[in-house]
Amino acid sequence: MRDELRYDPKEIEPRWQRLWADEHTWEVPNDLPAGVDASYVLEMLPYPSGEPHIGHLKVYSVGDAVAHFQRRRGRRVLHPMGYDAFGLPAENHAIRTGQHPRDSTNAAIAAFQREFRAWGISIDWTREFATHEPRYYRWTQWIFLELLERGLAYRREAAVKWCPVDATVLANEQVVDGHCERCGAEVETRQLEQWFLRITDYADRLLDDLDTIEWPEHVKRMQRNWIGRSLGAEVTFRCEELGVDYPVFTTRPDTLFGATFFVMAPEHPDVLRLAAGTEHEAAVREYVNSAAGGSVEERGDAERAKTGVPLGRTVTNPVNGEQLPMFVADYVLMEYGTGAIMAVPGHDERDFAFASAFGLPVKRVVGGGEELPYVGDGPLVDSHPDFDGLHNREALERIVAWLDGQGRGRASVNYRLRDWLVSRQRYWGCPIPVVYCDACGMVPVPSQQLPVELPDVRDYAPRGRSPLAAAEDWVRTSCPSCGGEARRETDTMDTFVDSSWYFLRYCDARNDSAAWDPDVLARWMPVDQYIGGVEHAILHLLYARFFCKALSDVGLLNVQEPFARLFTQGMITREGAKMSKSRGNVVSPRSIVERYGADTARCYILFIGPPDQDADWSDEGAEGMHRFLARLWRTCAEAARDLPDEPLAPDGLSPDGDRVVRKAHWAIEKVTGDMQARFAFNTAIAAVMELLNECGPGRRGGAEPGALRFALSTAASLLFPFAPHAASDAYQLLTGRRVWEEPWPVADLALLSTDTFELVVQVNGKIRDRVQAPTGAGREQLEALAREQPNVRSHVDGRELVKAVVVPGRLVNLVVR
């Protein structure tokens, strides 16, 4: 008889998926009735390449559990899906194979669609889009033009990190040990005209508004450090030979009198001009190219050996007129201050290391400490008669005021944050919607002519310029202003632009006349729960916050922050290492689903450990989860077949029935708390396991059919967010109802407190009995009660008691020999 009730996910899961698709179960309209509680649950936009990996399974298992929980608590949930489809991987694949990036991207999207549907993720597929579709990037271009019109997008020449193989600009984060993270080529420095977005205008708001959102503190800290607000002074040093002023930001103007040399970052736009015509020109050029490959973290390391090259020029120290020799050195970062520093080796460790390496003078101007460099506080010495003897912190403000009065400096606030470089010399990206006319200059493409669509090209390989430049028929166009000949911009946008506003488009994804209806956005935004990897803590999350603030200032949004709450999930490893094809330790979600079913894959990945922490995959663990789901389904199916469908009568229950019902209410309270406050899905699933154990043949005792049906249907109901197919099937077998249409269960608080509890009694770690013990009983009382039990006495009589381990409220373990 038992074989007839076999858990078969290959039959169960497609059946429920077809029903949800046919009935459009997870779709939600925008015209919600007044008073309806709306919720927006969103996972970070995935990049479609190949097929979904284990990280996708985890993040969407988390998100789907949240979405199901919110729906059953009475909220209408927006839970959409899309694809971050532009980017280098598809373009590099096209270079290798000749396959158009659109074709490989669409094939990957089709694979993602198949897998996500097989996982049973409760997506509103009517809102699906990909960022490479013209119907989407039309509005990306429109947003760019809105920012351009308000001065938030601009073009200027800048020193950039250049990959000679990929022939494109790299962000700092894309350079690893001086090489391109994608192809491994040694990185160079070039000066190019580039498009930027003026994110620095929002630095203070991006910092201050972190206090208004519920994000993990470590993510907020990462953003604060990246923005990097510092208070200090801007001081002007002049190169008399060239007649050029160079401003320097310093947090230590009290040490100005101790400056003995002047250093510029390799990326500083004037470095090559300063060295031109000097004996150091060739060495400077070589150094600039080699230094460009170092990461910001590596170059800023105080312990790293200091290198540099003289520029053959001097600047004048504005506080004492001394001539300071100029150098280029990679320990100075263009990302901080002005890309140039006054070097004070007597009071800065890195400056001291550089001075020692190059035989430069070291001066003490702050008293205290026996050795140099001295970085502490003290009285000024050998500085200026007006300041000598003053404590350096008091002198600091006076020196700034003195410089301000002479027009050589001023108080200033500096940010580590730099404007966002969005130009990319690649094909597979959103075209920048401007043209260049000899008569009119740079002219925006009118919004009614959007989208500016990517042309098809035969050669995707960049050759020092964007592949779009080779599409001559596309490049040649007419000026929207004068009608004369014009040339299209051939750079494309950084793909982070596409992902900085996609969450807005989901709200109104089928609107063809506007990017969104403000009234619709007001209904859904901000995103109530955003879920994704901590690796996006800085760039994506910072850029999305900037877009929201900028679009709000333009009058297009009514929110300042895109994501009210953020959850960052941990990584899934295998055998203690990050999964990779080279290690041969990759777990394929598709193979797990084919073997065990989607519910097993989803449940195990949430059960494996706290979802915000890294966890190691175990095939045996997945097998164990499959056995649990099979046992739950089979127990429910047997109960539906064998137990009379009697109503629950709490007042007339036997002790066993009362115990089972109380356990069900305990599980409701436990799972609800874990879902609501902590996203502790692992302990929530464990609670359902405990409840199922209580209902098993060996534990149910004389519990009434109504009590068992209630407890088992509660177990299925609580498991639904994690294993929606098996839970739906089990719940319907027991109740005849659809679990997702049922409200989330609420615990009866009166049943959570009892006069007794079940005490587990062990001997040498093995369970020998279970007995009801008084709630609140002390250690001695519990030990005595345990030793009284006949089955316990038979294992301890005549043996020496080594110790008794008592866990109040749970167990007694008698250790004997």
Side-chain angles (χ1 to χ4, degrees):
M1 197 71 171
R2 180 178 291 268
D3 291 340
E4 297 176 9
L5 298 177
R6 185 176 65 87
Y7 172 58
D8 183 4
K10 290 184 177 181
E11 185 280 324
I12 292 171
E13 293 178 354
R15 172 160 47 83
W16 287 104
Q17 290 163 12
R18 285 192 299 270
L19 183 146
W20 294 327
D22 292 344
E23 297 188 359
H24 311 282
T25 304
W26 313 124
E27 295 173 17
V28 59
N30 283 334
D31 55 341
L32 297 176
V36 169
D37 192 6
S39 178
Y40 190 174
V41 176
L42 184 63
E43 300 86 356
M44 291 184 184
L45 189 66
Y47 179 79
S49 179
E51 61 182 36
H53 54 65
I54 202 75
H56 293 118
L57 177 63
K58 180 170 183 177
V59 71
Y60 277 89
S61 296
V62 170
D64 212 38
V66 174
H68 281 311
F69 181 67
Q70 294 292 357
R71 289 188 189 102
R72 292 185 58 203
R73 287 169 65 85
R75 309 186 80 179
R76 295 302 301 272
V77 175
L78 172 60
H79 189 209
M81 173 74 184
Y83 313 93
D84 190 9
F86 278 133
L88 275 175
E91 186 164 346
N92 287 339
H93 177 76
I95 293 170
R96 292 192 304 272
T97 66
Q99 184 182 28
H100 196 290
R102 185 186 306 111
D103 296 335
S104 60
T105 299
N106 287 342
I109 287 174
F112 270 60
Q113 290 170 332
R114 286 193 301 272
E115 291 301 301
F116 275 74
R117 292 179 187 276
W119 297 348
I121 305 297
S122 62
I123 297 294
D124 182 348
W125 291 101
T126 66
R127 299 173 187 261
E128 180 190 27
F129 58 73
T131 60
H132 75 299
E133 297 168 347
R135 65 189 177 99
Y136 178 84
Y137 69 71
R138 166 192 181 184
W139 300 113
T140 303
Q141 293 172 344
W142 173 77
I143 291 171
F144 180 89
L145 294 179
E146 291 289 323
L147 299 178
L148 178 63
E149 182 181 348
R150 288 155 180 83
L152 293 174
Y154 67 95
R155 195 167 183 256
R156 67 171 171 84
E157 188 175 87
V160 296
K161 289 178 171 58
W162 178 265
C163 173
V165 173
D166 284 340
T168 191
V169 173
L170 301 176
N172 290 332
E173 296 72 29
Q174 295 170 312
V175 179
V176 179
D177 295 329
H179 296 79
C180 174
E181 70 169 353
R182 183 160 300 281
C183 71
E186 189 170 349
V187 173
E188 302 172 355
T189 294
R190 290 193 180 184
Q191 295 283 338
L192 293 176
E193 284 283 327
Q194 301 283 288
W195 282 99
F196 291 83
L197 297 182
R198 213 178 294 275
I199 191 174
T200 53
D201 283 7
Y202 290 81
D204 283 326
R205 288 164 61 183
L206 289 167
L207 273 174
D208 296 342
D209 288 355
L210 286 170
D211 294 333
T212 69
I213 49 182
E214 295 180 36
W215 286 19
E217 191 53 43
H218 68 278
V219 175
K220 292 184 179 183
R221 183 168 58 252
M222 292 168 74
Q223 290 214 355
R224 290 188 183 104
N225 292 341
W226 188 259
I227 297 168
R229 180 164 55 192
S230 302
L231 302 178
E234 186 178 278
V235 184
T236 302
F237 290 74
R238 185 171 182 81
C239 178
E240 302 291 351
E241 295 172 85
L242 300 182
V244 179
D245 289 336
Y246 290 107
V248 165
F249 175 81
T250 177
T251 59
R252 294 293 306 274
D254 53 311
T255 64
L256 270 163
F257 295 93
T260 62
F261 56 100
F262 189 90
V263 188
M264 305 180 87
E267 298 86 356
H268 196 291
D270 274 12
V271 162
L272 297 179
R273 180 162 75 103
L274 284 162
T278 73
E279 60 181 307
H280 306 288
E281 181 175 4
V284 168
R285 187 176 299 278
E286 181 181 353
Y287 184 82
V288 165
N289 277 333
S290 65
S295 69
V296 172
E297 292 76 13
E298 180 185 45
R299 288 169 54 183
D301 184 357
E303 301 301 320
R304 183 169 175 259
K306 300 298 178 283
T307 63
V309 178
L311 290 172
R313 308 285 185 183
T314 63
V315 291
T316 303
N317 188 335
V319 298
N320 55 20
E322 291 181 0
Q323 294 300 301
L324 308 181
M326 302 179 73
F327 292 81
V328 57
D330 67 357
Y331 80 93
V332 177
L333 305 175
M334 200 66 206
E335 288 79 8
Y336 184 78
T338 63
I341 67 163
M342 60 169 203
V344 185
H347 302 285
D348 182 273
E349 292 176 351
R350 292 181 302 168
D351 293 346
F352 182 84
F354 189 90
S356 300
F358 285 82
L360 297 167
V362 179
K363 293 171 60 176
R364 177 191 289 276
V365 292
V366 179
E370 296 182 0
E371 297 182 355
L372 295 179
Y374 173 64
V375 296
D377 293 333
L380 288 198
V381 298
D382 298 330
S383 294
H384 187 281
D386 291 346
F387 308 122
D388 282 346
L390 292 175
H391 190 276
N392 66 302
R393 295 298 167 183
E394 179 185 355
L396 188 150
E397 294 184 4
R398 294 195 185 188
I399 291 172
V400 173
W402 177 64
L403 287 167
D404 195 14
Q406 299 187 29
R408 291 180 287 183
R410 61 183 178 83
S412 179
V413 178
N414 182 73
Y415 301 90
R416 182 176 181 267
L417 182 68
R418 288 292 176 263
D419 279 346
W420 177 8
L421 191 159
V422 296
S423 293
R424 294 293 181 269
Q425 290 70 43
R426 299 303 301 239
Y427 168 73
W428 193 233
C430 176
I432 296 174
V434 300
V435 302
Y436 300 97
C437 171
D438 290 339
C440 305
M442 188 274 294
V443 181
V445 174
S447 59
Q448 62 269 24
Q449 294 181 20
L450 301 179
V452 176
E453 293 196 35
L454 275 176
D456 287 339
V457 299
R458 294 183 178 179
D459 185 0
Y460 308 104
R463 306 186 188 283
R465 60 178 185 169
S466 169
L468 288 177
E472 296 180 358
D473 291 343
W474 180 83
V475 173
R476 287 194 301 270
T477 188
S478 58
C479 173
S481 180
C482 70
E485 290 186 0
R487 303 171 308 282
R488 294 192 188 278
E489 171 64 75
T490 58
D491 283 358
T492 53
M493 295 187 209
D494 179 6
T495 56
F496 277 114
V497 176
D498 308 317
S499 59
S500 292
W501 76 278
Y502 77 100
F503 45 88
L504 302 174
R505 185 61 178 168
Y506 279 143
C507 298
D508 207 7
R510 294 297 171 259
N511 189 336
D512 293 328
S513 60
W516 56 75
D517 181 332
D519 291 336
V520 171
L521 248 61
R523 183 171 300 120
W524 293 114
M525 287 294 295
V527 174
D528 293 278
Q529 184 64 65
Y530 200 40
I531 304 158
V534 73
E535 65 271 18
H536 301 295
I538 295 174
L539 298 183
H540 162 59
L541 290 172
L542 191 66
Y543 293 155
R545 297 181 63 223
F546 159 61
F547 259 51
C548 260
K549 295 180 188 303
L551 292 171
S552 177
D553 289 353
V554 170
L556 298 171
L557 283 184
N558 63 349
V559 295
Q560 291 290 322
E561 290 290 338
F563 314 120
R565 298 173 193 84
L566 173 69
F567 179 82
T568 56
Q569 86 279 2
M571 182 187 301
I572 298 295
T573 59
R574 192 177 192 187
E575 298 167 352
K578 182 178 179 180
M579 293 186 191
S580 70
K581 292 181 180 178
S582 62
R583 291 192 181 99
N585 67 342
V586 172
V587 174
S588 165
R590 180 165 52 84
S591 65
I592 298 297
V593 172
E594 288 175 353
R595 182 175 181 183
Y596 297 118
D599 283 342
T600 292
R602 292 175 57 165
C603 256
Y604 178 61
I605 210 163
L606 296 179
F607 181 70
I608 197 171
D612 59 336
Q613 298 176 21
D614 294 349
D616 203 57
W617 180 273
S618 162
D619 292 339
E620 293 77 13
E623 173 70 36
M625 181 57 67
H626 180 71
R627 289 197 300 270
F628 159 67
L629 291 177
R631 186 160 60 91
L632 179 135
W633 183 89
R634 189 174 58 249
T635 304
C636 290
E638 289 173 347
R641 182 193 62 188
D642 300 336
L643 296 179
D645 188 4
E646 298 176 356
L648 178 64
D651 294 337
L653 291 176
S654 65
D656 286 333
D658 181 71
R659 172 177 50 79
V660 166
V661 169
R662 287 179 182 274
K663 191 66 175 182
H665 283 277
W666 167 85
I668 293 170
E669 181 74 4
K670 173 65 174 168
V671 174
T672 303
D674 287 346
M675 292 284 290
Q676 199 168 6
R678 297 176 295 277
F679 282 9
F681 307 122
N682 56 322
T683 55
I685 295 170
V688 179
M689 291 177 172
E690 280 196 47
L691 175 57
L692 179 62
N693 289 339
E694 206 71 23
C695 300
R699 293 285 303 135
R700 66 177 63 169
E704 290 80 358
L708 286 171
R709 280 179 170 269
F710 169 75
L712 288 169
S713 63
T714 297
S717 176
L718 296 175
L719 194 66
F720 173 74
F722 318 116
H725 312 88
S728 294
D729 214 54
Y731 192 85
Q732 187 176 65
L733 286 171
L734 282 166
T735 68
R737 301 190 300 273
R738 296 173 166 186
V739 65
W740 65 88
E741 295 177 353
E742 300 285 293
W744 187 257
V746 178
D748 185 340
L749 299 182
L751 296 177
L752 297 179
S753 60
T754 61
D755 296 330
T756 62
F757 71 94
E758 183 180 71
L759 178 69
V760 175
V761 184
Q762 299 175 334
V763 178
N764 290 342
K766 293 184 178 181
I767 297 177
R768 297 305 181 185
D769 212 337
R770 300 172 189 265
V771 61
Q772 291 298 307
T775 300
R779 291 175 178 271
E780 293 181 359
Q781 185 179 356
L782 292 175
E783 181 183 346
L785 181 62
R787 297 179 69 172
E788 290 173 0
Q789 306 310 308
N791 194 41
V792 174
R793 289 209 309 267
S794 66
H795 287 85
V796 301
D797 285 352
R799 305 176 71 180
E800 179 187 354
L801 178 66
V802 177
K803 63 178 177 179
V805 178
V806 180
V807 181
R810 295 196 61 186
L811 66 83
V812 172
N813 180 26
L814 302 175
V815 181
V816 298
R817 62 185 177 192

